[in-house]
Amino acid sequence: MSDVSKAKQYIKYLENRDLPDAEPLIIDCDPGIDDAMALLLLSDNLAKYDVKLICSCAGNTPIDITTQNMQFFATNFFPGVRIAKGSRTALVKVNPRNADDVHGKSGMGAYEVGPQDYPVEPDAIVAMADVLKNSEKPVTLVTLGPLTNVAKLVILYPDLKDKIKEVYTMIGSMNGKGNITSYAEFNSYYDPEAFDLVVKSGVKLVINPMQLGNETRIPKAAFEKMPTKNLRDNFVKVLAESINETVDPTCVCIYDPNTIVGMVKPELYDFVPCNINVYTAPKVGGKTVITEDPNGKHLVQKAKDIEKLKTFILRALFNKEQY
Ligand code: BDR
Ligand code: CA
């Protein structure tokens, strides 16, 4: 990103920061190509949201790499926002498998991020607790990776659960089928115990399940055709073209952005009350079944019109005015 674009982004951030109606947010992520796309979409909506903190967690790649990528995003798209380093590994699982076969060793596919100097606080859980304690309004949590940090937060600071408005989260699968294994979605697979704990913690989840990303998969050819007019468009293109897609090699499954789109364009979805069953036994760890239930405590996101949603996501990623 050029210095001029960075400066414009910073001015936009400063202008928006004191808006009284902006919704306070904490972001937890493991960037990750689709995390990167989700963060870009969020950075387009800073008039509505006051990003108080961004945290990294291990997931798609080891923690040092997801943290470096988070620093890159803070520098270029969220200047001035606090960032903090999160959990090195899952709560119980020892060295769960990463998803660097999909996202590349750098987590950003063919895009070279390299060492960053944006200051990082050393403990995401302490930083999250600090934001919650000091916020007058309840804070929305947005999670794009495994739920390890959030699980530790609710264990260590149970009194702060009331300060969490809800958790918008990309995790799990509707029907016991997965993308990292035959039975588990990746974020759920990486730390099933954390997911189970958060589901049962009393905090309300708004779940973007794996099926949404599969349904809104975008053909790689659509990215090729999208005219690019600036560095951001090229960045998105490089990211999209370097996903090593396992579900359908001709397409890109854009999982994490549906969480941000769910917040900024809720009219594109139905939010259906549900219950979630998370399996934690070793051979099925991370398997989930989500059942619609009018009395359910959580909500699951479902597309109203897949084609309309796909068009919206593609245009939003390329920051087209028309979207
Ligand atoms: C989830 O797993 C990760 O690889 C993606 O970033 C997304 O959060 C999809 O299953
Ligand atoms: Ca992710």
Side-chain angles (χ1 to χ4, degrees), residues 14-313:
L14 289 176
E15 280 171 356
N16 293 332
R17 204 150 70 150
D18 295 327
L19 289 179
D21 295 333
E23 169 116 25
L25 294 185
I26 296 175
I27 315 295
D28 193 83
C29 55
D30 62 335
I33 291 177
D34 58 335
D35 301 68
M37 292 173 171
L39 290 170
L40 282 175
L41 296 189
L42 179 62
S43 74
D44 292 336
N45 287 281
L46 293 179
K48 281 192 196 164
Y49 301 104
D50 180 5
V51 181
K52 300 278 186 198
L53 174 70
I54 306 176
C55 301
S56 59
C57 60
N60 284 325
T61 57
I63 186 68
D64 291 337
I65 298 177
T66 59
T67 303
Q68 177 173 281
N69 292 340
M70 170 178 70
Q71 287 177 285
F72 169 82
F73 274 92
T75 305
N76 291 292
F77 300 101
F78 299 90
V81 171
R82 286 172 75 174
I83 66 172
K85 187 171 185 172
S87 305
R88 183 157 291 280
T89 186
L91 288 185
V92 177
K93 267 189 173 177
V94 180
N95 292 327
R97 178 175 152 196
N98 294 125
D100 56 9
D101 51 338
V102 175
H103 300 264
K105 290 273 172 225
S106 73
M108 292 284 110
Y111 194 85
E112 288 298 327
V113 169
Q116 302 288 308
D117 53 14
Y118 195 98
V120 186
E121 295 178 35
D123 190 328
I125 322 303
V126 170
M128 284 199 249
D130 183 55
V131 169
L132 293 175
K133 268 181 209 155
N134 290 303
S135 178
E136 280 170 20
K137 294 190 207 168
V139 178
T140 298
L141 261 57
V142 177
T143 75
L144 308 173
L147 283 169
T148 319
N149 293 337
V150 179
K152 288 181 183 171
L153 177 74
V154 296
I155 297 169
L156 293 171
Y157 299 93
D159 296 350
L160 292 177
K161 279 192 279 189
D162 289 348
K163 299 292 284 287
I164 301 174
K165 188 172 170 197
E166 51 203 354
V167 184
Y168 274 79
T169 177
M170 190 287 127
I171 197 163
S173 158
M174 298 298 294
N175 57 6
K177 299 215 161 61
N179 55 6
I180 181 87
T181 67
S182 58
Y183 57 84
E185 179 281 326
F186 177 76
N187 292 335
S188 176
Y189 165 87
Y190 191 91
D191 198 339
E193 283 79 9
F195 188 13
D196 191 39
L197 214 141
V198 175
V199 163
K200 293 172 179 162
S201 69
V203 170
K204 180 179 165 193
L205 302 185
V206 182
I207 298 199
N208 155 19
M210 178 194 87
Q211 277 73 17
L212 252 186
N214 291 345
E215 287 164 4
T216 54
R217 76 180 72 165
I218 296 178
K220 285 188 176 164
F223 285 97
E224 278 159 27
K225 283 189 200 126
M226 213 62 184
T228 57
K229 65 173 189 312
N230 55 31
L231 284 174
R232 174 201 155 112
D233 293 356
N234 285 314
F235 177 46
V236 175
K237 230 177 181 174
V238 171
L239 290 178
E241 285 170 0
S242 50
I243 294 185
N244 183 16
E245 188 58 67
T246 50
V247 176
D248 175 353
T250 66
C251 290
V252 178
C253 285
I254 312 224
Y255 297 104
D256 293 334
N258 271 300
T259 292
I260 304 300
V261 181
M263 288 166 43
V264 300
K265 274 274 173 188
E267 62 270 30
L268 291 171
Y269 304 88
D270 289 316
F271 293 86
V272 184
C274 68
N275 294 314
I276 308 150
N277 194 3
V278 184
Y279 293 69
T280 52
K283 290 205 173 123
V284 286
K287 173 177 167 179
T288 56
V289 176
I290 299 176
T291 319
E292 294 181 20
D293 173 354
N295 299 316
K297 289 196 172 64
H298 304 291
L299 296 176
V300 64
Q301 243 176 290
K302 299 185 109 183
K304 280 193 170 144
D305 177 333
I306 301 287
E307 286 311 313
K308 212 169 154 186
L309 179 56
K310 276 163 84 159
T311 306
F312 177 85
I313 292 174

Side-chain angles (χ1 to χ4, degrees), residues 226 229-230 233 312 315-316 318-323:
M226 213 62 184
K229 65 173 189 312
N230 55 31
D233 293 356
F312 177 85
R315 300 202 74 84
F318 284 88
N319 206 9
K320 299 295 168 206
E321 277 151 34
Q322 295 90 323
Y323 88 81

